[in-house]
Amino acid sequence: AARLSYAVGHFLNDLCASMWFTYLLLYLHSVRAYSSRGAGLLLLLGQVADGLCTPLVGYEADRAAGRCARYGPRKAWHLVGTICVLLSFPFIFSPCLGCGAATPEWAALLYYGPFIVTFQFGWAATQIAHLSLIPELVTSDHEKVELTALRYAFTVVANITVFGAAWLLLHLQGSSSSGPAQDVSVGDQLGVQDVPVFRNLSLMVVGVGAVFSLLFHLGTREGRRPRGEEPDEHSPLVAPRPQPLLLWKHWLQEPAFYQVGVLYMTTRLIVNLSQTYMAMYLTYSLHLPKRFIATIPLVMYLSGFLSSFLMKPVNKCIGRNLTYFAGLLVVLVFAAWVALVDTLGVAVYVAAVLLGAGCATILVTSLAMTADLIGPHTHSGAFVYGAMSFSDKVANGLAVMVVQSLHPCPSELCCRSCVGFYHWVMVAVTGGVGVLATLALCSLVVWPIHLRSRDPGDRP
């Protein structure tokens, strides 16, 4: 019960993240009819806020270790973050309060800004507090792996829940709005009539997430850090030689830090941008009914989840670099397929399986490479993860802003040029960024991950 209560503590964040990356641009641009540049600016604001809040919240959470002794400092930060998410997220996917037909777009977008910043701060606080609880609750490596696995299992459940609920709401909305005298194809297209769908989906997300967060706070007890063990007859007489202390400024002098950082950033660009623009590609380039914006992401995620079970044996068999290259090759096959074929038809499900499996492979392998880079220097590992997370979030936000600024239909929702635009956006975010990831991988093949002057054994 204690393990399960901890595992559901990140369920609200997982629900919100799934909806944020998959549906934010689609909601703002296709449903609310805001300009492509304005929608991209709001997503950029959220990514930058998340990137800035992550290291700040981590620093403050460590400083608060001696406070809130009865409730627990990390649970306190988790509670603060959860409240911020619950109070802000529904407003992001709801119409602007007080806005009318004469309200300028900049005023409406300014309305969403504080809610997005509050949501990203709460999301970062909840994530960091939840992750930092693992070493506080358990001590052995086996138990840490078990908690992490349970946490990831509920991440899978969260994504399936969001996409399944989105399909159900779109199906019910479509069946209720299409009458005998109404064109069925019009009801299959996204528009202002779908505002209640996304509003109800966001309310369902925070409602279900709030219940699981309550279970986490009721069932998880944060204990104090155990003191160092007293020496006994099994303790060594001579203490092992301490390893060199690697500070944050030393990481900046290591070429491997930048090699892995570029690989991780390009990997995240492929995964997040393909998830963000898949719904646009399905809607405007392939002209598929709106229910596909729920079923195709679900197929992608299930494909990635199932392929993740193969990661461990494949890594042992062919190594990190070849495993990453295999996943990247699958992504490049998807990009070539999209570039050469204008209409996919039923084959869109096969393409979704390829993209989901390839993205999961390169993401899992890049995280393993980051762990290889940190190695025994876990005392400064938070800086490495924080730096890569910051670069990943800012790069994703800037990339979305660039794509939205290049949108060929500034005065209308989608013109004839829009069809080919999202087609080539999918090719660029998978194939183009995939080429950059290949170059980053080649640098790791030529110069393997190695800390030049700080590895144990380098100095006598």
Side-chain angles (χ1 to χ4, degrees):
R3 287 176 174 83
L4 288 176
S5 66
Y6 168 80
V8 301
H10 204 255
F11 197 70
L12 173 63
N13 266 20
D14 293 329
L15 292 169
C16 294
S18 179
M19 193 172 175
W20 169 270
F21 279 111
T22 309
Y23 297 130
L24 179 69
L25 281 184
L26 190 72
Y27 172 76
L28 293 175
H29 184 59
S30 303
V31 179
R32 299 299 302 155
Y34 293 131
S35 67
S36 58
R37 186 170 299 181
L41 190 62
L42 286 181
L43 193 141
L44 173 62
L45 173 65
Q47 294 300 102
V48 172
D50 189 6
L52 293 176
C53 287
T54 299
L56 294 177
V57 170
Y59 175 72
E60 289 297 328
D62 286 337
R63 286 185 60 194
R67 308 168 193 168
C68 305
R70 295 187 61 184
Y71 191 69
R74 284 158 183 80
K75 282 185 63 179
W77 271 100
H78 188 285
L79 181 62
V80 171
T82 299
I83 293 174
C84 289
V85 170
L86 293 176
L87 294 180
S88 59
F89 190 74
F91 290 96
I92 300 175
F93 286 91
S94 299
C96 171
L97 297 177
C99 297
T103 304
E105 182 178 305
W106 64 267
L109 296 178
L110 196 63
Y111 164 86
Y112 288 105
F115 294 113
I116 288 178
V117 173
T118 304
F119 161 68
Q120 292 292 357
F121 166 77
W123 199 96
T126 305
Q127 180 198 37
I128 291 173
H130 194 254
L131 284 173
S132 62
L133 268 173
I134 293 180
E136 298 289 331
L137 298 175
V138 295
T139 54
S140 71
D141 290 339
H142 173 74
E143 290 176 321
K144 292 177 183 178
V145 171
E146 185 181 10
L147 284 184
T148 305
L150 284 172
R151 186 178 184 269
Y152 180 70
F154 279 97
T155 301
V156 175
V157 175
N159 282 271
I160 294 175
T161 301
V162 169
F163 297 138
W167 176 85
L168 182 62
L169 291 173
L170 288 170
H171 179 73
L172 293 176
Q173 194 274 341
S175 60
S176 63
S177 62
S178 57
Q182 186 179 3
D183 187 5
V184 178
S185 64
V186 175
D188 280 341
Q189 302 302 315
L190 284 169
V192 69
Q193 73 275 4
D194 295 304
V195 168
V197 171
F198 291 92
R199 182 196 61 213
N200 295 338
L201 184 60
S202 65
L203 291 174
M204 183 217 71
V205 162
V206 296
V208 175
V211 173
F212 282 93
S213 296
L214 179 62
L215 294 176
F216 162 77
H217 282 276
L218 293 177
T220 304
R221 299 189 62 181
E222 179 180 353
R224 299 182 179 181
R225 293 185 177 181
R227 298 183 178 180
E229 296 181 358
E230 295 293 332
D232 56 15
E233 64 272 15
H234 299 290
S235 302
L237 294 176
V238 180
R241 180 173 61 87
Q243 295 178 353
L245 186 63
L246 202 65
L247 302 178
W248 67 268
K249 58 184 179 181
H250 298 140
W251 285 109
L252 302 179
Q253 303 170 10
E254 295 291 343
F257 174 76
Y258 299 99
Q259 289 176 274
V260 178
V262 172
L263 185 75
Y264 180 78
M265 183 180 69
T266 52
T267 301
R268 277 292 186 180
L269 282 173
I270 294 172
V271 174
N272 291 343
L273 291 180
S274 62
Q275 183 181 1
T276 300
Y277 284 103
M278 176 57 76
M280 298 287 197
Y281 172 66
L282 297 171
T283 302
Y284 296 117
S285 295
L286 299 183
H287 302 291
L288 295 174
K290 58 188 177 183
R291 66 176 182 273
F292 280 85
I293 68 173
T295 56
I296 294 300
L298 179 60
V299 170
M300 288 173 56
Y301 195 82
L302 290 176
S303 170
F305 173 64
L306 295 176
S307 64
S308 65
F309 290 104
L310 301 175
M311 292 302 101
K312 186 175 181 179
V314 171
N315 267 271
K316 285 185 176 181
C317 183
I318 64 177
R320 296 258 195 271
N321 292 340
L322 284 179
T323 303
Y324 187 92
F325 181 72
L328 198 57
L329 196 60
V330 175
V331 174
L332 293 176
V333 168
F334 167 84
W337 192 0
V338 171
L340 296 175
V341 179
D342 292 331
T343 57
L344 291 175
V346 182
V348 69
Y349 287 103
V350 181
V353 170
L354 288 177
L355 184 59
C359 287
T361 302
I362 61 176
L363 182 58
V364 171
T365 310
S366 65
L367 288 170
M369 289 179 175
T370 307
D372 293 340
L373 172 69
I374 296 172
H377 307 287
T378 54
H379 54 273
S380 56
F383 169 77
V384 178
Y385 282 116
M388 294 188 180
S389 179
F390 175 77
S391 63
D392 139 51
K393 290 177 171 60
V394 174
N396 275 280
L398 291 175
V400 167
M401 192 62 207
V402 170
V403 172
Q404 296 299 104
S405 299
L406 297 175
H407 197 278
C409 314
S411 59
E412 52 185 316
L413 192 60
C414 186
C415 56
R416 182 173 297 178
S417 303
C418 173
V419 177
F421 175 74
Y422 287 115
H423 174 87
W424 290 109
V425 164
M426 283 303 298
V427 175
V429 300
T430 53
V433 183
V435 172
L436 297 178
T438 305
L439 297 176
L441 179 64
C442 290
S443 73
L444 287 174
V445 174
V446 178
W447 299 286
I449 298 174
H450 177 69
L451 302 184
R452 298 178 302 171
S453 59
R454 295 274 165 178
D455 274 346
D458 282 356
R459 295 179 180 178

